[in-house]
Amino acid sequence: MSMQRALGVARVAFAMLTFTAAGVQLDRGLQRDGFSVVNFLSFFTIESNLFAAMVLLVTGFVALRRGSIERYALWRGAATAYMVTTGITYTLLLRGLEAELQTAIPWVNTVLHYVFPVVMLLDWLLDPPRGRVETRQAVWWLVFPLAYAIYSLVRGPVVDWYPYPFIDPRQHGYPTVLVTCVLLAVAIGLIAYLLAWYTRTRRALAI
């Protein structure tokens, strides 16, 4: 089996695993009274996992058909940045809050918060885009996290619910939430920069 085909199979397999994990958790939630599908889909973890799984699924099928995935480089970078952010944020700030995060099924939590972030990072490191990803391009990867933060803070007072405690002004006040959002933005920006920098470094070494 060629490397391209092996990567294609792995991408499709891990994408389907992630879709299954999210689906199982959603099905478990639907069995509870008062469960909100909108709230479930409003977690950055769920959104980033679903987005990354879709990107991995598409690139997996393209690889299996021996096509080029270069056109998806920026989508891959965005998905990787979001998943690395998800893994780090969960590990540092949210571990132990699985019930509140609606990932209380142990294997689902492991897939969404540990396995898939590592898979996405390895996919980028082992098979980076052949072309350079410039920093100015990677900056666009910050648009979704920024939009997510605005969405969460605007929707929160309306429905009296926030997806994560560190962006809940009822607990910490808006100044603290603002500082937290800025720090997270800096962290995501650094992750995006490093992912883009890696493509330029690998290219330079290859030359």
Side-chain angles (χ1 to χ4, degrees):
M1 180 183 294
S2 67
M3 178 61 70
Q4 184 180 23
R5 185 169 181 81
L7 286 172
V9 170
R11 286 168 176 148
V12 171
F14 279 110
M16 294 308 299
L17 173 64
T18 301
F19 281 130
T20 300
V24 168
Q25 187 64 66
L26 175 61
D27 179 69
R28 175 69 65 87
L30 290 171
Q31 299 175 27
R32 303 198 316 267
D33 292 335
F35 176 77
S36 170
V37 174
V38 177
N39 284 356
F40 178 77
L41 295 176
S42 293
F43 284 102
F44 188 85
T45 291
I46 300 300
E47 294 176 2
S48 60
N49 269 274
L50 293 179
F51 172 67
M54 181 58 68
V55 170
L56 207 64
L57 186 66
V58 170
T59 55
F61 278 126
V62 170
L64 288 175
R65 296 177 62 184
R66 301 185 184 279
S68 172
I69 64 172
E70 288 306 299
R71 71 181 68 176
Y72 304 103
L74 295 182
W75 293 102
R76 291 180 62 206
T80 303
Y82 304 155
M83 287 310 305
V84 171
T85 299
T86 294
I88 293 175
T89 302
Y90 172 78
T91 301
L92 296 180
L93 301 176
L94 300 169
R95 188 166 49 185
L97 301 177
E98 289 77 19
E100 293 86 345
L101 301 178
Q102 299 185 28
T103 56
I105 303 174
W107 76 268
V108 169
N109 185 66
T110 298
V111 169
L112 300 184
H113 286 129
Y114 292 111
V115 175
F116 206 44
V118 172
V119 166
M120 291 303 298
L121 181 59
L122 288 176
D123 182 67
W124 185 263
L125 296 179
L126 296 177
D127 189 25
R130 294 192 181 96
R132 294 165 57 96
V133 175
E134 302 294 345
T135 301
R136 66 177 180 275
Q137 295 175 299
V139 167
W140 286 101
W141 299 344
L142 303 181
V143 172
F144 170 64
L146 176 61
Y148 176 82
I150 294 173
Y151 162 77
S152 298
L153 292 174
V154 170
R155 181 175 182 265
V158 176
V159 298
D160 195 32
W161 180 85
Y162 294 84
Y164 300 106
F166 54 78
I167 59 172
D168 186 348
R170 300 171 302 181
Q171 298 185 31
H172 309 291
Y174 280 101
T176 300
V177 169
L178 179 60
V179 171
T180 301
C181 288
V182 170
L183 291 175
L184 286 173
V186 171
I188 298 173
L190 178 60
I191 291 169
Y193 171 80
L194 291 174
L195 292 174
W197 170 81
Y198 180 74
T199 66
R200 301 192 294 273
T201 301
R202 282 292 298 268
R203 179 182 171 86
L205 291 176
I207 295 175

